[in-house]
Amino acid sequence: MPNYAAAAIIAALVVYLLVIGKALLLPLVLAIFVWYLINALAAQFGHIRLRGGTLPPWGRYGAAILLLLAVVWFVVNLVAGSIGQVGQAAPVYEQNLRQLLEKVTAMLGLQELPSLQAIFEGMNLSDVIRRLVAAVTGIAGNTGAMLIYVTFLLLEQGSFRRKIAALFPDPEREALVHRILQRIGEEIQTYIWLKTLTSLLTGFLSYLVMKIIGIDFAEFWALLIFALNYIPYIGALLGVVFPALIALVQFESVAPFAAATGLLALIQFLIGNVLEPRLLGKGLNISPLIMLLALAFWGSIWGVTGMFLAVPIMVVVMIVCSNFERARPVAILLSENGQLRS
């Protein structure tokens, strides 16, 4: 009983520190994620051969950083341009929504047309906007600290092995730590690559569907679908709902809305339930119920960013717990089938 009480106290303390230390911990976790991504990209650039040789380390890391900066620049410009276009198209959407409400009112035999103001108040639109602004502001505020962390991680990664050797004089303990860190790196990088591949495919096919139907801002919605695909379960649903709602208010007919909903849902189903399991296999071995709880937990303490980080964090917890005898029951409870990799 004392052991369980101590474990409960430690768990409560950890949760408390995660909540109050968000301003410090979130940029650090994001920095570690970006650091892993830079190393993965640099490793891929290392396979490029120029004049019989490979790129030097500074060339590999420089190319990886430039590629990430180019992607960030593209995303920022696309989002900024789309926001301005949404503002210009808003009156058209409002008119189409009003006509749709008139049709629905006539079909239901209502005496009075619901006002748009009442609908928006029911949706608590101001709260949604406030949350979005807070999320964007939070990400922008974390950027400076994250870049500093990434810089120091890159500068000091050459001395990590010496520090681990100094921390663990016992060769067996040192080998165990190296094995855990190597497995964490391999599984997270594998997850990132395969998830990026399936997300790109989902975004591209969704873009084609939206372009054929004629949905406004197809590029922006495809980018959003790509990003949301990193959030298990919830991301796929939102990737269908958002473009479908735009189709509903953009067109006077309901047919584009139905076509967009059906085709986008089909793409999400085929890639998420057929292709992705074949690529990822049982490598993650995380219980779907635990993953849903992890999404709710990390989303509640770290917001949308925490939901994006939920899977990598759970991977790290699973690997660490599976390598220590006292923590193995935790890893078994978190796993999908109760079987752990050694």
Side-chain angles (χ1 to χ4, degrees):
M1 183 63 69
N3 291 335
Y4 290 109
I9 293 173
I10 292 174
L13 180 61
V14 169
V15 173
Y16 175 73
L17 293 176
L18 288 173
V19 174
I20 67 169
K22 175 182 176 180
L24 174 67
L25 295 175
L26 185 55
L28 178 60
V29 175
L30 287 172
I32 294 174
F33 181 80
V34 173
W35 174 64
Y36 265 114
L37 186 57
I38 291 175
N39 278 279
L41 289 172
Q44 295 301 315
F45 281 119
H47 297 308
I48 299 176
R49 304 190 66 84
L50 298 173
R51 297 180 180 179
T54 59
L55 287 173
W58 64 266
R60 296 197 296 267
Y61 283 95
I65 294 171
L66 288 176
L67 178 59
L68 281 181
L69 291 176
V71 171
V72 171
W73 177 84
F74 170 77
V75 170
V76 169
N77 279 273
L78 179 60
V79 172
S82 299
I83 290 175
Q85 294 174 0
V86 168
Q88 296 175 0
V92 178
Y93 295 160
E94 183 177 346
Q95 179 62 29
N96 290 340
L97 180 57
R98 185 175 295 277
Q99 293 176 0
L100 178 63
L101 288 175
E102 291 175 352
K103 294 179 181 178
V104 173
T105 303
M107 290 175 58
L108 297 178
L110 300 177
Q111 298 297 325
E112 184 180 354
L113 176 67
S115 66
L116 294 180
Q117 182 179 359
I119 293 175
F120 289 150
E121 288 178 355
M123 293 171 59
N124 202 359
L125 189 61
S126 61
D127 184 60
V128 174
I129 294 174
R130 185 165 58 253
R131 288 176 179 271
L132 289 175
V133 171
V136 173
T137 304
I139 293 174
N142 290 328
T143 301
M146 184 183 69
L147 291 176
I148 294 174
Y149 289 140
V150 171
T151 301
F152 279 93
L153 284 170
L154 290 172
L155 291 175
E156 295 190 10
Q157 68 180 19
S159 62
F160 283 168
R161 297 189 69 88
R162 293 194 299 271
K163 291 181 179 180
I164 292 175
L167 286 171
F168 302 97
D170 182 7
E172 293 185 1
R173 299 282 292 180
E174 180 186 354
L176 174 62
V177 172
H178 282 302
R179 185 167 66 250
I180 293 174
L181 293 177
Q182 181 180 3
R183 186 178 162 199
I184 289 174
E186 290 175 353
E187 295 212 8
I188 289 181
Q189 288 183 16
T190 300
Y191 169 78
I192 291 174
W193 285 126
L194 294 180
K195 194 66 177 177
T196 300
L197 175 63
T198 56
S199 298
L200 282 172
L201 182 60
T202 304
F204 176 70
L205 293 178
S206 300
Y207 170 77
L208 292 180
V209 168
M210 290 183 289
K211 268 297 185 182
I212 293 173
I213 295 175
I215 297 176
D216 290 340
F217 322 117
E219 296 83 2
F220 172 76
W221 296 118
L223 176 64
L224 184 64
I225 290 171
F226 166 78
L228 289 173
N229 207 47
Y230 284 92
I231 302 178
Y233 314 124
I234 301 174
L237 176 62
L238 296 179
V240 175
V241 170
F242 287 154
L245 289 177
I246 287 295
L248 182 63
V249 299
Q250 177 185 342
F251 301 98
E252 298 180 1
S253 170
V254 183
F257 165 75
T261 303
L263 292 174
L264 292 177
L266 180 62
I267 291 172
Q268 292 283 359
F269 175 80
L270 291 177
I271 294 179
N273 294 278
V274 178
L275 179 61
E276 209 168 88
R278 290 180 179 272
L279 293 177
L280 290 174
K282 298 295 182 181
L284 297 180
N285 190 25
I286 299 176
S287 166
L289 175 61
I290 295 297
M291 184 51 61
L292 284 174
L293 294 175
L295 288 172
F297 173 76
W298 292 107
S300 64
I301 64 173
W302 284 356
V304 177
T305 308
M307 298 179 74
F308 280 100
L309 296 172
V311 173
I313 290 174
M314 292 302 298
V315 169
V316 173
V317 172
M318 280 275 297
I319 293 173
V320 172
C321 290
S322 65
N323 280 275
F324 295 94
E325 192 62 34
R326 289 189 175 183
R328 282 182 69 86
V330 176
I332 293 173
L333 290 174
L334 297 178
S335 66
E336 183 178 8
N337 53 22
Q339 298 179 355
L340 303 177
R341 285 177 51 185
S342 58

